[in-house]
């Protein structure tokens, strides 16, 4: 990839153009994608974007660093609650661009009242997250995470590695939007029987060959349940002690959506009782304190997270469902377009 301004990013994280945009919670792998797109944009329309990349998150205590910026770009774990929005208003920020689909971390009403527009990236290669969902299902089922270590140690014993054939099994998909639909297409390709729940049923889903049922029926009949709905008041802890109770013994639960959809203490109890037989997570309710940062030399204080990592039948990835080259480029292009157009979801 052609990165004309990489040396400027390396030296001071600052590239000089006109529209003042601050990017929060950025990492080098993202910055390079944005810089090459901004270079191309500024060649077509000179002096359009002046980008500053911060690696720290946006929250009420860092919001003062927005002084002088017209637009700010945030990610999944930035805290754009009412008090952050208030600070942004005082700094003169006019637009908040989310470089992600979910916007549960932004107080949309507060932004509206502060006359700050908000944009997001509602759709970018839903297959990216869908494929990661399948990676978790297949890893847990065929235990490739364990097989990898065994073979490296010269242990070719298959004891404990037995999986089940996915073909013909019933899988429940909660939320049949863009990602849910991509997951359904893949599962149908595997020959699974797919049950779905969504308050808004989509004929395209039944045309594919999946079946809408009530949430209770989905919970009772699916041996794999995967979550693809947004986090909101109705969906918060949609997976709790009561809903787990309805699931078959040994169920596989997958969450690549948002951590707040599941009640972790109920999950841990169900793992201990073997009600949940497999758990795949790409998201975690308190992930903002952990994810996207190297904590390998720290003493992690989150006892719930640490307990989850001790189970042999749990695979956790650190919110990387979106993380492919293609998706990053698409997200960056849409985010910059949203900034240039002043798009608003409020
Ligand atoms: P979408 O908006 O296309 O679809 C969401 C669907 O969920 C809609 O059909 C909606 O009607 C349904 N829904 C809403 N409330 C529900 C409820 N209580 N129960 C069941 N269904 C409900 O969203 P998309 O693009 O499919 O994304 C889904 C979620 O995936 C996002 O909200 C985001 O949290 C998560 N995500 C995770 C990523 C990762 O890297 N792990 C990356 C991108 C998105």
């Amino acid at each position: 990839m052609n990165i004309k301004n990489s040396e400027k990013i390396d030296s001071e994280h600052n590239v000089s153009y006109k529209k003042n945009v601050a990017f929060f919670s950025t990492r080098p792998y993202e910055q390079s994608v944005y810089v090459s797109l901004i270079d191309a944009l500024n060649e077509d329309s000179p002096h359009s974007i002046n980008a500053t990349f911060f690696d720290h998150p946006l929250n009420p205590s860092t919001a003062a660093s927005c002084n002088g910026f017209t637009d700010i770009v945030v990610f999944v774990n930035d805290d754009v609650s009412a008090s952050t929005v208030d600070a942004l208003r005082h700094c003169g920020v006019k637009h908040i661009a989310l470089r992600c689909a979910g916007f549960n971390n932004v107080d949309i009403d507060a932004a509206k009242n502060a006359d700050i527009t908000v944009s997001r990236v509602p759709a970018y290669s839903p297959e990216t997250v869908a494929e990661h969902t399948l990676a978790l299902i297949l890893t847990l089922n065929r235990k490739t995470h364990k097989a990898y270590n065994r073979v490296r140690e010269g242990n070719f014993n298959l004891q404990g590695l037995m999986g089940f054939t996915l073909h013909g099994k019933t899988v429940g998909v909660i939320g049949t939007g863009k990602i849910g639909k991509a997951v359904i297409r893949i599962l149908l390709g595997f020959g699974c029987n797919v049950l779905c729940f969504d308050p808004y049923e989509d004929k395209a889903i039944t045309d594919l060959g999946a079946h809408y049922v009530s949430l209770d029926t989905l919970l009772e009949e699916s041996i794999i349940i995967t979550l693809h709905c947004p986090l909101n008041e109705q969906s918060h802890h949609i997976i709790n002690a009561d809903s787990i109770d309805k699931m078959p013994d040994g169920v596989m639960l997958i969450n690549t959506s948002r951590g707040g959809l599941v009640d972790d203490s109920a999950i841990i109890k169900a793992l201990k009782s073997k009600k949940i037989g497999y758990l795949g997570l790409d998201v975690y309710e308190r992930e903002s304190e952990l994810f996207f940062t190297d904590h390998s030399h720290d003493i992690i204080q989150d006892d719930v997270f640490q307990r989850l990592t001790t189970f042999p039948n749990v695979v956790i990835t650190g919110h990387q469902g979106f993380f492919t080259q293609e998706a990053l480029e698409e997200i960056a292009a849409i985010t910059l377009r949203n900034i240039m157009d002043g798009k608003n979801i409020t």
Side-chain angles (χ1 to χ4, degrees):
M1 184 181 295
N2 175 25
I3 305 166
K4 285 198 214 146
N5 279 313
S6 58
E7 68 287 347
K8 292 184 190 167
I9 280 190
D10 287 340
S11 59
E12 48 188 315
H13 299 266
N14 200 329
V15 189
S16 207
Y17 297 104
K18 210 174 174 185
K19 204 166 179 166
N20 273 333
V21 185
F23 291 72
F24 285 86
S25 304
T26 59
R27 297 292 177 266
Y29 49 75
E30 278 183 292
Q31 292 177 9
S32 59
V33 174
Y34 279 94
V35 168
S36 58
L37 284 175
I38 290 169
D39 278 349
L41 192 76
N42 288 337
E43 258 169 39
D44 290 346
S45 146
H47 313 305
S48 46
I49 286 190
N50 169 25
T52 300
F53 297 98
F54 295 121
D55 56 8
H56 63 259
L58 179 66
N59 56 44
S61 53
T62 62
S65 55
C66 292
N67 237 331
F69 292 104
T70 50
D71 301 65
I72 56 150
V73 181
V74 296
F75 196 43
V76 287
N77 291 324
D78 289 305
D79 169 0
V80 199
S81 52
S83 51
T84 304
V85 170
D86 195 42
L88 296 181
R89 185 174 57 84
H90 279 104
C91 291
V93 169
K94 298 285 174 227
H95 182 72
I96 300 165
L98 285 134
R99 55 183 198 279
C100 56
F103 53 97
N104 51 286
N105 54 332
V106 178
D107 190 324
I108 299 286
D109 290 339
K112 199 171 182 176
N113 292 336
D115 232 4
I116 297 175
T117 51
V118 181
S119 65
R120 65 180 181 122
V121 184
Y124 59 91
S125 173
E127 288 75 19
T128 301
V129 184
E131 289 168 13
H132 192 70
T133 303
L134 264 292
L136 289 175
I137 292 175
L138 292 172
T139 301
L140 283 162
N141 177 11
R142 305 307 287 266
K143 303 171 180 66
T144 42
H145 56 307
K146 289 172 178 292
Y148 174 80
N149 288 326
R150 278 199 198 176
V151 171
R152 279 168 70 91
E153 288 176 8
N155 176 0
F156 303 99
N157 188 342
L158 297 183
Q159 185 65 37
L161 299 185
M162 193 185 289
F164 58 87
T165 303
L166 215 43
H167 185 97
K169 296 297 186 303
T170 297
V171 183
V173 177
I174 299 182
T176 59
K178 291 170 286 293
I179 296 170
K181 192 187 290 179
V183 168
I184 290 166
R185 269 194 230 104
I186 301 173
L187 289 170
L188 290 170
F190 271 91
C192 296
N193 171 36
V194 180
L195 302 181
C196 311
F197 171 73
D198 192 308
Y200 302 96
E201 298 190 3
D202 175 1
K203 186 175 170 300
I205 298 288
T206 41
D207 288 348
L208 284 172
H211 309 279
Y212 280 106
V213 292
S214 68
L215 182 58
D216 279 357
T217 303
L218 183 150
L219 297 173
E220 284 159 15
E221 295 186 8
S222 307
I223 65 148
I224 301 174
I225 296 171
T226 181
L227 303 174
H228 301 289
C229 56
L231 176 61
N232 52 37
E233 267 175 37
Q234 295 74 44
S235 64
H236 181 251
H237 287 187
I238 192 170
I239 301 300
N240 53 43
D242 284 346
S243 51
I244 292 170
D245 205 38
K246 295 177 180 141
M247 299 176 190
D249 291 345
V251 66
M252 182 188 293
L253 180 67
I254 305 289
N255 186 9
T256 60
S257 209
R258 283 294 181 266
L261 294 175
V262 304
D263 175 351
D264 294 317
S265 52
I267 294 281
I268 288 174
K269 267 191 203 142
L271 282 162
K272 286 166 80 175
S273 71
K274 301 188 181 170
K275 179 77 179 174
I276 293 181
Y278 312 78
L279 176 69
L281 300 179
D282 186 47
V283 287
Y284 174 65
E285 193 156 20
R286 287 167 301 287
E287 67 177 52
S288 60
E289 288 149 40
L290 293 171
F291 286 9
F292 307 120
T293 303
D294 180 0
H295 288 290
S296 55
H297 296 288
D298 300 340
I299 305 297
I300 291 177
Q301 300 295 323
D302 187 328
D303 292 345
V304 173
F305 184 82
Q306 289 302 82
R307 180 67 178 107
L308 283 170
T309 62
T310 65
F311 293 97
N313 50 353
V314 173
V315 171
I316 306 177
T317 52
H319 207 141
Q320 65 175 82
F322 71 100
F323 199 52
T324 66
Q325 182 72 31
E326 292 82 354
L328 272 193
E329 286 174 4
E330 221 180 319
I331 291 167
I334 297 169
T335 302
L336 295 178
R337 206 180 313 134
N338 285 343
I339 289 170
M340 299 313 290
D341 295 351
K343 252 219 162 115
N344 193 15
I345 55 168
T346 61

